[in-house]
Amino acid sequence: MPINVLMTVPTGPGVGLTSVSVGLVRALEQQGLKASFFKPIAQPQPGDEGPDRSAAMVAQGSTLTTAESIPLQEAERYLYNDNIDELMEEVVGRFQDSIEPDSTVIVEGLAQIPGHPYATRLNKAIAKTLDADLVLVTAPNKMRVKELEHHVEIAAGSYGGIKAADVIGCILNKTTPGSLGAKSYGDSFAQRSIFKRNFKLLGQIPTAEELTYPRVQDVADYLDARIINAGEIETRRVQSYTLCARGVENMLEALQPGVLVFTPGDRTDIIMATAIAALNDTKIAALVLTGGYQPSESLMQLCGKAMAKGLPVLSVDSNSWDTAINMQSFNKEIPLDDKDRILLVKEHIARCIDHDWINSFARNQEERKLSPPAFRYRLIETARELNKRIVLPEGEEIRTIEAASICAERGIARPVLLGNKAEILRNAQNNGIEIGNGVEIIEPTTIREHYVSPMVDIRKHRGLTDIVALEQLEDNVVLGTMMLQENDVDGLVSGAVHTTANTIRPALQLVKTSPDASLVSSVFFMCLPDQVLVYGDCAINPDPTAEQLAEIAIQSADSASAFGITPKVAMISYSTGGSGSGNDVDKVREATRLAQEKRPDILIDGPLQYDAAIMEKVAKQKAPNSKVAGKATVFVFPDLNTGNTTYKAVQRSADVVSIGPMLQGIRKPVNDLSRGALVDDIVYTIAITAIQAGQAEAKAN
């Protein structure tokens, strides 16, 4: 049976009940808690098809499965026939089918929408039937703080009032900056007299404009537009729109990143101006040609390079004015196939829920696997507490700039971008990236000479001279590495445009290995659907000896432990136990023995085949007495060929997110990126680097 059942109910219409409910599930997952979700009665919106909207949003980025909701028409039929008891029996049956044992269950009540006057009545019955604690979801909706207090008290009265034992508190959603500011509004509301005893303010969720931006594809579908050039139609998002029917000189300021440009299809001048902006790397959302006019083939050829840069071009039959007016009725509800936006909403809301309250549910839950949401959350929160300064030598690269902006905005680290300041600012502006005060930009030419003498001191035994040192410092990775060596920064992240060798070689030459390490190795954090595993070494050592493999195992176990993963180390081979023989198996067997001798505090077993290490059924047959088989969290591969092949096969075949490689054994944190890294990959690597810097500092003290 579940430990806790929490039911979200609205205090009125338009409070964002579904978003808050799925955000609560994510908040539980982030803390590594067992969560379940149940939507008793479906409330489809116009155009919705397939699964219930709430259940579909919960499923994005989660391994949870949910029971099918009772169709609304069926529930209304029960009510019409005065058979509410039978309806509640159906609710209980589906509830039991949807929950995991020993979990905290989020039950989403019915929203108050036109045509559903029975919502509160059914919510009361469901809460009583499931013995649920009630969480009220409210929104200011332009109310003053005192008015909102009265509003919440009246809504709570329908469920026994704020003094009732099972009415535990409320979540304030959709706060917007006003005369008091969003945070001040929430804080003022939190100080009201209604929050006493068991009734608490459980979360304050400000609006975030970026969570409302639709994809260009969604707008194209809404306008029933013809697609002239698809470009990046599925990934670009619309932040605003503008009607351009004036002269080019009067509309240039409107050509900003994220803008949807409406213009008559025969305005060649505006079409060309938009194309020029796109060529200058301004990521305009899309160009919409109105009036049914089609651009000529020669014009399309002239603008071909702009189209190749991803600019979507659409065509509609209505005129510009009517098309722009029509956009005011665009439904900003999140399409269920917009995975990125759903995940952003869930993460945003989860961050704003009271974490102490969420953690209070952990008291009776058994230890569970560390899920990807919990892992990512711990990364960000731990890094935020450390507040480390991380240098990014590829400072002019767009993904790196955006990652730095995100890290500064969320307080993950203090990023330092190395590069030409004017170029960095231009790239940021053209891509709609806001560089706040938390991002530091350093021109390499202003600091390069400062590091010549220290670098010569480090490499003088190799005959390094001032002239050669200055020449090598022209490479920003080398410069960043010297900043790290001289303690001017706490860590370095590179590799978005450089090779692994370009990133690691300067670190080995200038920073060198840790005193207790004889080699540098790496691990990947493999974010499987239900847990995070550690793979080592998949990037550095081609064919380690038994002694080196034992050290890699110990390094990888310590890395897992440092990031909240209980290390259970499987030494991987093509043979399990004593069933096989040969040099390769013997090496793994000897490495296992050495690692166990050096670190008896770590669970290490091998040789184990991969399936015996990860699958309990196979483990019971092949290694029944092993404490690691079937439960391994750290996988140590015998050589680079095996490790790199396995990690990429798992990553690509199972659509698994991998974070890394994270380097181990270097005296100060240096981490490499894949050249295909996404912005989120860079953000998490920066967080990992910050945490490693904190660990190195603690170890030194």
Side-chain angles (χ1 to χ4, degrees), residues 389-406:
R389 191 168 183 242
I390 307 299
V391 65
L392 307 170
E394 300 158 324
E396 297 171 12
E397 200 273 330
I398 293 171
R399 292 166 296 165
T400 303
I401 296 171
E402 186 172 354
S405 174
I406 292 169

Side-chain angles (χ1 to χ4, degrees), residues 414-468:
R414 290 175 289 144
V416 178
L417 295 173
L418 286 183
N420 181 280
K421 186 172 183 178
E423 182 69 12
I424 291 171
L425 295 176
R426 186 185 74 83
N427 286 341
Q429 182 179 12
N430 288 343
N431 288 275
I433 303 168
E434 184 175 343
I435 297 184
N437 295 330
V439 178
E440 185 178 355
I441 300 174
I442 295 181
E443 298 252 12
T445 54
T446 64
I447 63 170
R448 195 172 285 136
E449 291 187 0
H450 174 71
Y451 295 101
V452 171
S453 179
M455 186 171 172
V456 169
D457 286 343
I458 295 170
R459 302 284 291 166
K460 60 187 176 184
H461 66 288
R462 294 285 186 177
L464 187 69
T465 64
D466 288 6
I467 294 174
V468 176

Side-chain angles (χ1 to χ4, degrees), residues 263-282:
T263 190
D266 58 354
R267 286 297 301 269
T268 303
D269 54 342
I270 295 178
I271 295 172
M272 293 186 66
T274 306
I276 291 170
L279 282 173
N280 286 322
D281 294 324
T282 301

